[in-house]
Amino acid sequence: MDENAQDPNVLHLSRFGLTIFLAVIVLLPIAMLIFLWVSLPAKAENGLQVSLLIKNVADDQPALILTNESDEPLRNIGISLNDAFHFYNKTALEPGKELTVALRNFARKGGIPFSPDDHILTEVGVYAKLPNNSRGVFEVKSEKLLEDLQKAPARPSKPELPSEP
């Protein structure tokens, strides 16, 4: 029998067929991931029932006042200003209680403190551990956030229910 002869019962791919096969093997998973990313809804994080207010406290220094408006204590509270200056509180914040933190106590990881004179406050994020061990999130963004928080407390927005006709 000839060594170069091919068995007619065995399938062989041409170069073009092999190229198409490999392209499908690579592109199919990528296309499936893109489809899932576009079609699935975003995961909603648990909202925190807190309010934020900025007042001048001792020595006329501005401070952030965080009030727990939920029925459960909040633990491991992390607060970030402009997603760069951070404050962490390990003690639990009981329902109805306030946590007052001077803005100068927020610092970058390198130790640079937040100064309202040098930095424009545009974003505040509050993160805490809920009793069911999930993470709760509350975020406020505005171009004039410092002024807004001095005028009125920021509260979580309640979803509006559709009115029945």
Side-chain angles (χ1 to χ4, degrees):
M1 180 161 183
D2 188 12
E3 290 180 14
N4 294 332
Q6 294 181 356
D7 186 4
N9 296 327
V10 177
L11 294 175
H12 293 280
L13 288 176
S14 66
R15 286 188 178 178
F16 179 73
L18 182 62
T19 303
I20 297 298
F21 175 73
L22 290 176
V24 168
I25 293 296
V26 170
L27 295 177
L28 186 64
I30 294 172
M32 289 172 56
L33 287 175
I34 291 172
F35 172 74
L36 290 174
W37 182 46
V38 171
S39 64
L40 292 177
K43 179 184 177 282
E45 295 192 66
N46 296 325
L48 284 178
Q49 295 296 318
V50 296
S51 65
L52 295 174
L53 182 64
I54 293 183
K55 283 186 182 177
N56 288 338
V57 291
D59 300 331
D60 206 32
Q61 292 291 322
L64 182 83
I65 300 171
L66 173 72
T67 306
N68 181 0
E69 295 184 350
S70 70
D71 297 332
E72 305 280 341
L74 301 177
R75 291 180 172 72
N76 298 336
I77 299 171
I79 306 171
S80 67
L81 305 179
N82 295 346
D83 212 20
F85 298 90
H86 305 281
F87 177 82
Y88 181 73
N89 183 27
K90 230 178 176 178
T91 59
L93 183 61
E94 297 300 323
K97 301 291 183 183
E98 293 181 347
L99 172 66
T100 302
V101 183
L103 292 184
R104 68 174 180 259
N105 290 342
F106 289 87
R108 286 185 186 259
K109 291 184 180 179
I112 299 169
F114 180 82
S115 170
D117 299 330
D118 299 333
H119 303 94
I120 298 171
L121 182 62
T122 58
E123 178 181 352
V124 176
V126 180
Y127 313 94
K129 185 176 182 180
L130 298 173
N132 63 0
N133 287 333
S134 65
R135 182 176 91 148
V137 178
F138 176 73
E139 292 181 335
V140 180
K141 296 179 184 182
S142 172
E143 293 298 318
K144 307 177 292 177
L145 189 57
L146 186 62
E147 298 167 12
D148 294 344
L149 290 177
Q150 287 174 336
K151 293 176 185 173
R155 298 190 190 306
S157 61
K158 306 232 182 202
E160 294 183 16
L161 298 174
S163 60
E164 295 182 26

